[in-house]
Amino acid sequence: MTGNLPTFTVAGKRIEPEFNLYSSDGDKDKKYTYILGNKIDVKFYSYYGIQDNGDSKGEVTVMADGNRVAQYNDEYSKEAEPLEIPFDKINEITIIVSGNAKLWDVGITEMKHWWE
């Protein structure tokens, strides 16, 4: 979701996504897959949290080129957490969201060294 982003609360903190919002479809997992085209030295970044309203269960899985690289659930944290995952090389990224989990302000950026 990228337009008219709803606000929600995580651990009592009001969250106002700026760029995008990933969530499940009610009881069904929602899967988002993007082909990046063999990017080198990039970083995936976002925020993760379980919405206060409703069920306190949820999970986000991040897969890179078919391999699970990160999994966050209600046991990981009850707070809104920033996530950063560096990749030496990546072609395809898949995000799977289930339950009441939310992922927002998701992006990919090239890693730069201080001398560049």
Side-chain angles (χ1 to χ4, degrees), residues 48-100:
Y48 159 82
I50 303 285
Q51 180 175 319
D52 288 349
N53 295 344
D55 189 6
S56 63
K57 300 286 184 195
E59 183 173 88
V60 169
T61 303
V62 179
M63 300 183 71
D65 298 328
N67 299 305
R68 182 175 56 200
V69 294
Q71 191 167 23
Y72 304 96
N73 59 39
D74 50 284
E75 295 175 9
Y76 170 75
S77 177
K78 302 296 182 192
E79 304 290 323
E81 297 282 338
L83 307 178
E84 288 188 0
I85 306 169
F87 294 101
D88 293 331
K89 182 179 178 185
I90 184 170
N91 182 53
E92 178 182 280
I93 192 161
T94 300
I95 301 165
I96 304 167
V97 184
S98 65
N100 215 14

Side-chain angles (χ1 to χ4, degrees), residues 12-26:
K13 181 180 176 187
R14 182 182 165 104
I15 304 296
E16 297 181 24
E18 293 181 36
F19 310 114
N20 51 43
L21 174 64
Y22 292 77
S23 60
S24 69
D25 249 354

